[in-house]
Amino acid sequence: MSTVTLYIDGKAVEVPAGSTILQAAQMAGIAVPNLCHHPFLKPSGACRMCVVEVEGARALMASCTTPAVQDMRIFTESPRVVEARKTVLHLLLANHPLDCLTCEAAGDCQLQDYSYRYGVEKSMYQGQRTSYPVDASNPFFLRDYEKCILCGRCVRVCDEIMGVNAIDYAHRGFKTKIATAFDGTLQESPCVFCGNCVTACPVGALVPKMQKGQGRPWEIQKVRTVCSYCGVGCQIYLHVRNGKVVGVSPADGPANRELLCVKGRFGHDYLHHPERLTKPLIREHGAFREATWDEALGLVASRLSEIKEKHGPAALAGLASAKVTNEENYLMQKLVRGAFGTNNVDHCARLCHASSVAGLAISFGSGAMTNSIAETEGADAIFVIGSNTTEAHPVIGSYIEMALKRGARLVVADPRTIDLAHKADVFMQQMPGTDVALLNGMMNVILKERLYDKEFVAERTEGFAEFAETLESYSPEYVEGITGVPAGTIREAARLYAKAERAAIFYSMGITQHTTGTDNVMSIANLAMLTGNVGRESTGVNPLRGQNNVQGACDMGALPNVFPGYQKVDDDAARAKFEKAWGVTLPSAPGLTMMEMMNAITQGKIKGLYIMGENPMVSDPDLGHVDETLDDLEFLVVQDIFLTETAQKAHVVLPGAAFSERDGTFTNTERRVQLVHKAVDPPGDSLPDWRILVRVGRLMGLEMDYSHPSEIMAEIASLAPNYGGITHDRLGTAGLQWPCPSRDHPGTRFLHKGQFTRGKGKFMAVTYKPAAELPDEEYPLVLTTGRMLYHYHTGTMSRRSAGLHAHRPAGYVEINPKTAQDLGVEDGDMVSVESRRGRIHIQAAVTGTVPKRVVFIPFHFVEAAANVLTNPVLDPIAKIPELKVAAVRVRPSEKGGAGE
């Protein structure tokens, strides 16, 4: 990399060629004032606060737009520069509230800071001032137009980073303001309330409602941690005052780089919701009563031990959690295996990405995201299939948007016309459940037109001949008849992906939640290997994990067939290692998966169940059956932060801690292990989950002796090779990506470089199989389900966030306008949606987002729970239920409310 040397205030500074003067000054630790500049945005040079004097130049130069040149001599605080900056401040203050230097933004406003720095107490200019009311119409933040300095940062973030374009400059001259189209409210605009404009604002014009009136910046303690929502792993600061979280702001983490979504920025007020559990509860005579910890844990240990003694270890089971830390998931599976004596342990990955773990392990040898989030920007082509990325993983959606701004091409395949479909070069709207056919059709084109990477296939893969033979029959014309995607569109998508130098695939539950989910994942792996798009930067197969620590829960062995680090329970050497470490004899037979547990309860084989941080009464398919099943248990323990729908059925409820109330680690979707820091104490008598598990284990005779989660991670590192070099003291703010086998290993940005984990990548000959339940005369429509931007999973957290709930208080069913017309349904009508398993009443949202034969329901709302309707039939390999395809009928209804 070529460099240039310049002199700033007499100091020699060497910087990469192409740097601006402002960047050079920042590298040298010299603070040059600026208001319109932001490191993620294109330089605009609008505010003129960053002007500097360049020797030999007639005029002052904007440092944010002026390139650094060899031997350039720059003065950042010369008399000319200081006078120019004062003039800018006087002009800004001339049309600014008179209380600027004393308003509550003090200490968190660059305009105030610079005014104090240069001694500008009030403007020397007098004249007309704009007068606008504060816009408080949305539930998330305030817009104070009078404090706006028109720097344009918010406009540019919304355009360049988010790609939403909800706001822009409106009017002209003195009347210029930042506004939505037609100067309406943000509620009426495309705004997604990500809050990144709030972060970018250098003054007090945009203020989160949660933080309003919560104190001056110097009264707030900021604790760095990791967001509790999706699997992106965004780092955040929790703002703490008087023992409470009063606000959230983004940290510059490796996954999010100061970006957040609406939930991460505004959705953490659930932490202090009045419904938080604060004491253990014991059910007596059909109702709960409060109990002491000794009483509750004594009952838990004695009842579970009794069941084990009477019916054997296999009569017990445990569900770990994608919401708690790695250390806590490790202890949960250790408790089940070491104290219960069974491998009947699972968690919600069974409902989302079990097929990713299985499929990628078969094809590549490792069932995790191959590449890093930040690499997305460097891709030449991006293929998004079965992932509504901008709603389910909004920050990764922002990375895709930034890649598109840099010239990347985009292919989207989804049954719904999602947001990214409008930005795609090629959009394929396949029928739900036809992904294998679609992918095979693309690969048929790539083979026929010899667009595949022959060298990669020959040197790094096996099984190609049988795979290629299978593709022969999947011509685009044949595939069109299965998927509904025009043959020409399939060809166009295949060529775009195959011809790219660096192509990356992103997928989520639209691929995995099928009876053919493992086949879908292996087909995606086939496509990546066929084109050589794996094992290199900005390529790969990237499953987007749905919850903050679902990757970590898998890594920790919260699965029925593997110990931590994916070491098989039926491997004698692996089992002996854990037996020696834990001082117990461990079972060798793999346990039951989550869905198999439910069937075993119905059959009377499982009598006791310990659930930590899961809510199967909303998340599982065929909820009517789940409801009846949990009633069949002799003893149910639920450990959570709220009295969830599942906790309401428990015999004992144990109050755990939220993410803000404990230390530990989360592992995000890109395999990055990051520190979680305690910011506040748990409410009442509630405890961090690891402390509860330690006490239960000891009462059941299992040796557990830890004083801090760092000690638990040390034990994990000693037993799981992929975490071998990970310790709390190494993680810092950047974390480490596994595999990280030793203390001197830097972690792994992308997998399978030079060689797959399994040696050679394996092509799998996958054929299309239809979904288990197809529409017919009785149930003529296909139901598919998914997430929405403003809510999360079973709604336990997001529906207790005031802003999120106010913005999206109820569920809906999306119906195509032609289908709605045929049904006699109008937008906003109440309808009945019925499958062979149950019926719900829900409001209709008539929209072209779904095609004529498909309806869509978000699964967050228990009052109209989509999973009352969904099909519990399983993928034979991953044992994941088919949540994405169910046959339903829709009828007009006058009734609203719960499922039947």
Side-chain angles (χ1 to χ4, degrees), residues 393-424:
H393 301 89
V395 169
I396 294 179
S398 300
Y399 277 91
I400 293 174
E401 180 67 32
M402 288 185 276
L404 299 182
K405 296 282 187 184
R406 289 169 171 78
R409 308 288 299 283
L410 176 64
V411 177
V412 172
D414 200 280
R416 300 169 66 227
T417 308
I418 59 175
D419 175 63
L420 284 178
H422 298 290
K423 302 173 182 179

Side-chain angles (χ1 to χ4, degrees), residues 86-149:
K86 285 184 175 180
T87 300
V88 170
L89 292 171
H90 280 291
L91 290 168
L92 289 172
L93 292 175
N95 186 28
H96 209 70
L98 296 175
D99 67 344
C100 174
L101 302 190
T102 59
C103 87
E104 66 178 15
D108 204 23
C109 170
Q110 289 175 256
L111 181 60
Q112 288 181 346
D113 294 342
Y114 297 149
S115 295
Y116 282 119
R117 177 171 170 176
Y118 292 106
V120 178
E121 296 183 9
K122 62 180 181 178
S123 177
M124 68 173 70
Y125 303 109
Q126 302 297 319
Q128 184 180 357
R129 291 176 176 270
T130 54
S131 179
Y132 296 111
V134 174
D135 181 1
S137 60
N138 76 80
F140 304 109
F141 57 87
L142 304 171
R143 304 173 77 204
D144 190 339
Y145 291 106
E146 292 188 2
K147 291 178 181 167
C148 177
I149 60 172

Side-chain angles (χ1 to χ4, degrees), residues 23 78 224 245 312 321 323 394 397 523 536 567 650 662 684 690:
Q23 289 170 332
S78 69
R224 189 171 185 139
V245 175
S321 174
K323 303 306 303 169
S523 295
R536 295 184 291 124
Q567 301 166 89
R662 57 186 163 203
W690 70 272

Side-chain angles (χ1 to χ4, degrees), residues 430-443:
Q430 78 275 33
M431 283 297 293
T434 63
D435 304 285
V436 165
L438 181 65
L439 291 162
N440 279 355
M442 290 177 64
M443 290 185 283

Side-chain angles (χ1 to χ4, degrees), residues 382-389 400 410-414 418 420 504 506:
I382 295 170
F383 181 21
V384 177
I385 179 169
S387 167
N388 189 0
T389 317
I400 293 174
L410 176 64
V411 177
V412 172
D414 200 280
I418 59 175
L420 284 178
F506 294 88

Side-chain angles (χ1 to χ4, degrees), residues 483-536:
T483 64
V485 179
T489 304
I490 296 171
R491 287 190 171 90
E492 188 180 359
R495 292 164 184 158
L496 191 158
Y497 175 82
K499 291 179 180 180
E501 175 64 25
R502 297 181 305 278
I505 302 174
F506 294 88
Y507 73 87
S508 194
M509 294 185 292
I511 283 292
T512 59
Q513 289 180 330
H514 296 273
T515 49
T516 57
T518 305
D519 285 351
N520 291 344
V521 172
M522 292 189 297
S523 295
I524 286 174
N526 287 343
L527 177 59
M529 290 189 291
L530 186 63
T531 55
N533 279 303
V534 65
R536 295 184 291 124

Side-chain angles (χ1 to χ4, degrees), residues 20-21 117 178 180 207 264 276 311 330 498 514 679 814:
T20 63
I21 294 174
R117 177 171 170 176
I178 306 298
T180 63
V207 180
R276 280 291 302 272
H311 301 286
Y330 173 81
H514 296 273
E814 292 181 350

Side-chain angles (χ1 to χ4, degrees), residues 592-612:
L592 300 178
T593 65
M594 181 184 292
M595 301 307 300
E596 290 172 329
M597 289 178 195
M598 294 297 168
N599 292 331
I601 294 169
T602 302
Q603 296 163 8
K605 295 177 180 178
I606 287 181
K607 308 288 186 178
L609 179 62
Y610 192 146
I611 299 177
M612 176 177 67

